[in-house]
Amino acid sequence: MAEQKQLTQQELDNLLKNAFAMQVPVIEKFMEDTHDRYALATTSFKRDMEAMKESAWHEFFASKLLPHFFLEHLGFGASFRFNDYEKEVKLPENMVPVRNDADEQIAKVVLGVEKAMKDMHIKNHGLVSEFYKETLELVCQLGSKVGMSDEFYTLVKPSLAYDKEEK
């Protein structure tokens, strides 16, 4: 196997953007399925989500929070693997490790969405909050899973090793 070179900052940035872009269809499908499932629970959920999608908060969620959470966990997954934690911790096949503070970070976002909903005429605060919470949980898991994947990890490992040796 040929020696892998460390990625330049531009190559790393492009890799991270592409890693997120590749997951966007999965995230969109999840959001559609979750939306449809919640819409079956109550007829006003669909109207509430339409109002949320028009809000500045939802724009911030989609354009800033989702990529941020994904990239944080992408790095976590690669670091988890780099530090050999996956060898120390026997994880079930269907389980993906996420950062220890993921639940706390998600809870802060849910508080933010609840504050945003107070200014709107949203009836289903619980379901709308749960929709955003579940979406963020998925994004964290996807990021970590991609970060640990052979394809991604092989590309970034030389950069991780270089950083580790620098310290």
Side-chain angles (χ1 to χ4, degrees), residues 48-63:
D48 290 343
M49 282 308 298
E50 286 172 5
M52 288 302 294
K53 287 178 184 175
E54 298 298 319
S55 71
W57 193 93
H58 184 82
E59 175 62 31
F60 173 73
F61 176 81
S63 66

Side-chain angles (χ1 to χ4, degrees), residues 67-96:
H68 174 76
F69 273 71
F70 179 83
L71 293 175
E72 272 195 349
H73 283 82
L74 184 75
F76 171 81
S79 177
F80 188 85
R81 185 165 174 188
F82 182 70
N83 291 310
D84 287 332
Y85 292 129
E86 91 278 9
K87 293 177 182 169
E88 296 170 16
V89 180
K90 296 292 183 215
L91 296 169
E93 189 67 31
N94 62 347
M95 185 178 251
V96 178

Side-chain angles (χ1 to χ4, degrees), residues 13-162:
D13 289 347
N14 289 338
L15 178 64
L16 298 177
K17 287 176 189 171
N18 289 337
F20 180 71
M22 296 290 290
Q23 298 306 313
V24 168
V26 174
I27 297 165
E28 287 176 343
K29 175 74 169 121
F30 177 84
M31 291 174 78
E32 285 175 22
D33 291 350
T34 304
H35 177 276
D36 293 347
R37 186 178 43 149
Y38 286 171
L40 289 174
T42 177
T43 55
S44 59
F45 176 78
K46 187 175 181 177
R47 185 175 54 249
D48 290 343
M49 282 308 298
E50 286 172 5
M52 288 302 294
K53 287 178 184 175
E54 298 298 319
S55 71
W57 193 93
H58 184 82
E59 175 62 31
F60 173 73
F61 176 81
S63 66
K64 302 286 189 229
L65 287 177
L66 289 181
H68 174 76
F69 273 71
F70 179 83
L71 293 175
E72 272 195 349
H73 283 82
L74 184 75
F76 171 81
S79 177
F80 188 85
R81 185 165 174 188
F82 182 70
N83 291 310
D84 287 332
Y85 292 129
E86 91 278 9
K87 293 177 182 169
E88 296 170 16
V89 180
K90 296 292 183 215
L91 296 169
E93 189 67 31
N94 62 347
M95 185 178 251
V96 178
V98 294
R99 288 176 40 153
N100 293 339
D101 63 345
D103 288 339
E104 184 180 307
Q105 287 182 319
I106 291 170
K108 287 179 183 177
V109 172
V110 169
L111 279 176
V113 76
E114 288 173 358
K115 287 178 185 174
M117 286 188 287
K118 286 181 182 177
D119 298 335
M120 305 161 125
H121 300 290
I122 305 295
K123 293 183 179 185
N124 295 299
H125 286 237
L127 282 179
V128 171
S129 295
E130 191 64 22
F131 172 84
Y132 287 108
K133 178 181 178 266
E134 286 185 27
T135 302
L136 285 174
E137 288 171 346
L138 170 78
V139 167
C140 291
Q141 291 171 9
L142 281 174
S144 186
K145 187 174 186 175
V146 170
M148 292 178 68
S149 71
D150 289 342
E151 182 181 357
F152 181 82
Y153 182 71
T154 301
L155 293 172
V156 299
K157 183 179 179 185
S159 299
L160 293 172
Y162 182 80

